[in-house]
Amino acid sequence: MQNHGGWAEWTGPGGPRPDIGVLRSDDHGRSWRSIAKGLPSDFGFPIVVHPHDPDTVYVMPLEPATRTCPGGAPAVWRSENGGDSWSRLAKGLPKRESYFTILRDAMTIDELKTPALYFGTTTGQFWIGRDSGEKFECLFDALPPIHNVKVAVV
């Protein structure tokens, strides 16, 4: 998810910066195409790729004006075909009036056969989505703002 204009003068590998949005490159960054069709927003920070299936991608879209979950109803969106279509994963997440933000480095995935997703919010909630995000559970609800989430299997 490319979501800011902070590198408008980019002239690095692949030439000029790609457009803003949820994008995919199949040629190591030489060209980009939008994969945002079907998402509630093409703005947001976190995107993670399944550790065993590169066509399975998870994103957390946000409202551009407020940088919060669209409609106050958080959801992780999963594509199992490289961004051609998306499904909403929200079981266990608040259904309404939940206006939190998930920063760029605050969502990750573990490397188990059936991985779990993890994300932290700027309002101090830490969530786990077991079974590839099929059901979410809030593990901690009163932490300081979470800027980065990393996990390891031990």
Side-chain angles (χ1 to χ4, degrees):
M1 239 178 177
Q2 173 22 37
N3 55 47
H4 59 83
W7 46 298
E9 302 302 319
W10 173 261
T11 58
R17 73 171 177 86
D19 289 330
I20 305 302
V22 184
L23 307 171
R24 175 183 172 137
S25 175
D26 294 311
D27 58 7
H28 306 285
R30 287 184 191 86
S31 64
W32 296 86
R33 66 180 172 91
S34 175
I35 56 171
K37 185 176 180 180
L39 292 173
S41 169
D42 68 350
F43 178 86
F45 293 112
I47 184 168
V48 296
V49 178
H50 191 286
H52 312 296
D53 178 8
D55 282 330
T56 300
V57 182
Y58 302 87
V59 300
M60 178 71 86
L62 300 173
E63 292 283 352
T66 60
R67 297 184 180 205
T68 60
C69 300
V76 172
W77 291 75
R78 177 177 61 205
S79 174
E80 297 177 294
N81 51 21
D84 289 336
S85 63
W86 296 93
S87 57
R88 185 176 188 272
L89 304 173
K91 188 173 183 181
L93 292 172
K95 295 185 186 331
R96 61 187 173 167
E97 298 182 16
S98 184
Y99 297 95
F100 54 66
T101 298
I102 299 88
L103 298 177
R104 161 178 0 269
D105 292 325
M107 187 165 89
T108 193
I109 191 167
D110 64 36
E111 295 186 4
L112 296 173
K113 184 176 180 182
T114 304
L117 290 165
Y118 306 82
F119 69 85
T121 70
T122 57
T123 53
Q125 296 173 321
F126 182 69
W127 294 84
I128 182 172
R130 292 184 172 84
D131 297 323
S132 300
E134 290 296 325
K135 183 175 183 194
F136 286 89
E137 175 186 0
C138 185
L139 297 178
F140 299 99
D141 192 21
L143 298 171
I146 299 170
H147 300 276
N148 190 297
V149 174
K150 300 291 181 200
V151 295
V153 177
V154 292

